[in-house]
Amino acid sequence: MDLTYTAADLAFRDTVRAFLDANLPSDLQKKVRNHLRLSRQDYVRWHQIVARQGWSAPAWPVEYGGTGWTPTQRHIWEEECARSGTPPILPFGVNMVAPVIMAFGNEAQKAHYLPRILNCDDWWCQGYSEPGSGSDLASLKTTAERAGDHYIVNGQKTWTTLAQHADMIFCLVRTDSTVRKQEGISFLLIDMKTPGITVRPIIMLDEDHEVNEVFFDNVKVPVQNLIGQENKGWTYAKYLLGHERTGITAVGRSKRELLFLKKIASEHYKHGKPLMQDPVFSAKIASLEIDLMALETTVLRVITRESHAPGPEASMLKVRGSEIQQQLTELMVEVLGPGALPFDTDYLEGKADHAVTGDDAAAPLAGYYFNYRKTSIYGGSNEIQKNIITQMILGL
């Protein structure tokens, strides 16, 4: 394949850069570039700025509000957003549940939910993992029993990202316990304001409230909120996971973080010279950059295929993308050494203009390092992804 951009692609990139220069609020850009914490309003504000331009769902079909961009243009958009330091468009609505609704939902569901996802009128979260049902997701225990025109949902979900902000949750529930575990699962859309739902925070090592437990106690969900057919939810769940794993790759963000790594390595010294001039450390950066370039090429190969739905190669992208993200944070901490130890939550949350240590770049990096241990676990652990690669790609 030809990896060089055409004249039309370069003109498109100029258009994207002009839009970002004119519309990205400086306070949001500062937070992203400095690894500071984003609020619910930060995410929504940026999403709705992009939505007004008509660009919030580039991969959607045009009839549902997509842009009609080519795969290369979508790649350019994501890369330029990362380069500029935009907040991410959260994937739970646009990139995860929306493709499921488009592929398997009925016309009423499409008409109601898709415009609201497009404009971030609804904040979505994901109800997949449970205590004891993580990598073995099909063993989930949350039940949905039919009672007239409703399902009664009981059970618990865990590691539910940003559920404290969510208006809606898409849930895998067990509707038949008498069949093989994969065959008794259904896919429900549930309003988070429904009586019987309790969200309990899980505070992580970096003291951030990012994930939650979600409890369902006799929660009434209209049957009309069922996606597709009852007991066919495992098919829809796998379809969604392919989109999730491809998105985890985050090449553009890793390229931005690589530049940040080089910057701090140029500003910190070892034996009187910048660490970037240390042959051992510079070799580590070079190796990582080569891996990132190879991953970007592979992503371009995958997204330019004619087939739209991600296949098992999404597992390969997820593994390599998450490993590179973790390696970037490891090298950042290695640059700083003991300088990465101070932990300043006031600065991370925007309550102070500068870190208490005086090194604003260093202040978030230990928390960033610890937080990114999650990337090789969520979306299906890397060990499970390697099993999928072995079976589905290598045929072993």
Side-chain angles (χ1 to χ4, degrees):
M1 61 180 291
D2 185 359
L3 295 177
T4 58
Y5 289 147
T6 66
D9 291 333
L10 294 173
F12 174 78
R13 185 178 67 182
D14 290 341
T15 299
V16 168
R17 287 182 175 178
F19 169 78
L20 295 173
D21 288 344
N23 292 279
L24 174 58
S26 59
D27 61 316
L28 298 186
Q29 184 181 57
K30 177 184 176 182
K31 284 187 174 184
V32 172
R33 286 184 169 175
N34 291 284
H35 307 98
L36 305 182
R37 292 174 180 170
L38 296 166
S39 68
R40 184 187 199 278
Q41 184 53 37
D42 291 335
Y43 287 109
V44 173
R45 178 159 56 123
W46 176 244
H47 187 131
Q48 293 184 342
I49 288 171
V50 178
R52 287 193 291 271
Q53 182 73 9
W55 291 357
S56 60
W60 287 18
V62 172
E63 60 264 33
Y64 296 125
T67 58
W69 292 344
T70 66
T72 301
Q73 288 174 323
R74 295 200 302 268
H75 179 75
I76 290 171
W77 164 249
E78 292 170 2
E79 185 172 70
E80 291 303 315
C81 284
R83 183 190 64 84
S84 295
T86 71
I89 300 292
L90 290 174
F92 307 107
V94 169
N95 295 333
M96 293 168 66
V97 74
V100 172
I101 294 172
M102 292 177 203
F104 305 107
N106 58 43
E107 293 306 313
Q109 290 167 338
K110 294 175 187 178
H112 176 74
Y113 291 113
L114 295 180
R116 298 183 63 80
I117 293 172
L118 199 65
N119 195 49
C120 201
D121 294 325
D122 290 328
W123 180 301
W124 286 81
C125 63
Q126 180 182 19
Y128 271 30
S129 295
E130 298 182 3
S133 299
S135 295
D136 183 19
L137 183 59
S139 68
L140 62 91
K141 301 295 191 298
T142 297
T143 61
E145 297 183 5
R146 181 75 178 260
D149 58 357
H150 285 78
Y151 288 101
I152 307 300
V153 179
N154 284 281
Q156 176 187 355
K157 299 294 180 179
T158 194
W159 308 121
T160 311
T161 301
L162 301 177
Q164 73 270 27
H165 300 319
D167 304 297
M168 298 290 299
I169 183 171
F170 54 91
C171 259
L172 295 183
V173 295
R174 187 159 302 284
T175 43
D176 189 346
S177 59
T178 65
V179 296
R180 193 169 69 98
K181 61 184 180 180
Q182 288 87 351
E183 295 173 356
I185 294 171
S186 297
F187 195 107
L188 285 182
L189 311 180
I190 304 177
D191 189 329
M192 290 289 285
K193 296 183 291 294
T194 309
I197 295 179
T198 301
V199 178
R200 189 165 72 188
I202 300 173
I203 304 302
M204 304 301 286
L205 186 63
D206 61 357
E207 298 184 15
D208 196 10
H209 178 190
E210 181 182 10
V211 292
N212 304 268
E213 297 175 288
V214 181
F215 297 89
F216 301 87
D217 183 11
N218 292 322
V219 175
K220 292 181 65 176
V221 181
V223 170
Q224 67 192 33
N225 287 26
L226 174 71
I227 292 291
Q229 301 178 49
E230 190 175 279
N231 298 326
K232 298 295 184 182
W234 188 245
T235 298
Y236 316 146
K238 291 189 296 181
Y239 182 85
L240 183 149
L241 284 169
H243 288 270
E244 180 184 11
R245 289 165 185 160
T246 303
I248 290 172
T249 306
V251 168
R253 184 174 62 205
S254 290
K255 291 173 73 173
R256 182 188 71 224
E257 296 304 289
L258 178 64
L259 291 175
F260 176 82
L261 171 62
K262 290 180 176 180
K263 178 177 182 294
I264 61 173
S266 297
E267 295 170 347
H268 287 75
Y269 285 71
K270 178 181 179 181
H271 303 312
K273 293 182 179 180
L275 197 55
M276 274 297 293
Q277 295 180 17
D278 178 81
V280 174
F281 189 81
S282 63
K284 293 179 182 179
I285 291 183
S287 177
L288 182 58
E289 186 165 10
I290 290 167
D291 287 344
L292 181 55
M293 292 169 64
L295 177 64
E296 181 177 25
T297 301
T298 306
V299 168
L300 286 168
R301 288 165 54 202
V302 170
I303 66 176
T304 53
R305 293 185 321 158
E306 291 185 5
S307 172
H308 177 68
E313 67 276 8
S315 295
M316 178 175 63
L317 299 180
K318 192 270 178 181
V319 169
R320 292 303 293 130
S322 61
E323 289 174 345
I324 287 171
Q325 290 166 44
Q326 291 179 342
Q327 289 165 13
L328 283 163
T329 66
E330 290 162 9
L331 290 179
M332 290 175 191
V333 171
E334 184 175 338
V335 168
L336 295 168
L341 289 174
F343 184 63
D344 185 353
T345 53
D346 284 348
Y347 176 64
L348 294 180
E349 294 174 359
K351 298 175 182 177
D353 291 334
H354 297 286
V356 67
T357 62
D359 190 343
D360 292 351
L365 294 188
Y368 187 40
Y369 163 81
F370 286 120
N371 183 270
Y372 265 66
R373 302 309 94 193
K374 68 188 179 185
T375 63
S376 53
I377 300 171
Y378 64 39
S381 72
N382 283 10
E383 290 79 8
I384 295 296
Q385 302 316 306
K386 290 174 183 178
N387 286 344
I388 293 172
I389 293 166
T390 299
Q391 296 166 10
M392 303 294 292
I393 298 178
L394 302 178
L396 300 177

